[in-house]
Amino acid sequence: FDAVLVATGATMARDLNCEGRELKGVHLAMEYLHKNTKSILDSGAVGENWLDSNNRERICAQGKKVVVIGGGDTGNDCIGTAVRHGATSVVNFEILPKPTPERAAGNPWPQWPRIYRVDYGHGEAEHSYGSDPREYLITTKRFVGNAAGELTGVETIRVEWAKNEAGAFIPKEV
């Protein structure tokens, strides 16, 4: 198949409840990261040809188009791992808007600063593919597969954030 999809999350994953989630090629972040780290540690493979020397228990993104759904540290780790595997492309879907370079008025200290950052995975992807991998204000509608049950695509939709009746911000499809 042509794609590996990584849905990010902590060790207690927040799975995506959408059509096609069971397709071959759709993986949870920690499954992807754990198998790759274990493969490296078990094989002792390091250096320039580490991927070739590694055992085949890992989920390999080499030569594949990779979509990482979600952000944070785990999403960043998935991006960096896919780049190092030699993925042909890596894109990162973020449901939130692109953060501002400085703190917004509604994000005062001591709250965690919600500002635009470039972490190592984003930087590696930009260096390898020529642009920041992040796509903002986008969400996954469904995973598309072939007759063999393999992932072939991802259907998405753009969103905007609006207040609901209770005053809470929620994503609305546009």
Side-chain angles (χ1 to χ4, degrees):
F1 43 92
D2 243 16
V4 170
L5 182 103
V6 180
T8 64
T11 54
M12 294 298 294
R14 185 175 53 194
D15 209 345
L16 290 175
N17 184 21
C18 60
E19 181 184 340
R21 169 60 184 90
E22 75 288 347
L23 292 168
K24 293 179 215 156
V26 179
H27 305 283
L28 294 172
M30 294 311 292
E31 173 191 14
Y32 176 61
L33 296 172
H34 175 79
K35 284 187 176 186
N36 280 282
T37 301
K38 184 171 180 0
S39 177
I40 291 168
L41 294 173
D42 289 351
S43 69
V46 294
E48 189 174 319
N49 296 317
W50 71 273
L51 192 59
D52 295 330
S53 303
N54 239 296
N55 72 45
R56 300 299 173 202
E57 291 297 313
R58 66 183 166 24
I59 300 167
C60 188
Q62 187 175 31
K64 302 210 177 356
K65 300 171 187 169
V66 175
V67 177
V68 176
I69 300 174
D73 293 337
T74 305
N76 182 64
D77 291 344
C78 290
I79 292 166
T81 300
V83 170
R84 288 184 217 128
H85 277 188
T88 58
S89 66
V90 177
V91 65
N92 178 208
F93 292 164
E94 293 268 5
I95 196 169
L96 297 171
K98 183 177 180 178
T100 58
E102 303 292 328
R103 278 182 187 264
N107 180 220
W109 187 89
Q111 293 176 357
W112 175 257
R114 293 184 306 264
I115 59 173
Y116 179 77
R117 293 178 171 83
V118 177
D119 211 331
Y120 75 92
H122 308 127
E124 288 178 27
E126 185 167 357
H127 176 77
S128 295
Y129 308 112
S131 63
D132 189 312
R134 293 171 282 188
E135 280 286 327
Y136 296 96
L137 296 171
I138 191 168
T139 192
T140 304
K141 292 295 287 184
R142 71 183 186 105
F143 301 109
V144 181
N146 62 22
E150 299 165 332
L151 179 69
T152 59
V154 182
E155 186 178 304
T156 62
I157 192 161
R158 294 289 177 178
V159 298
E160 64 183 12
W161 288 82
K163 286 188 178 182
N164 65 11
E165 303 79 37
F169 279 98
I170 60 169
K172 297 271 188 175
E173 294 181 359
V174 292

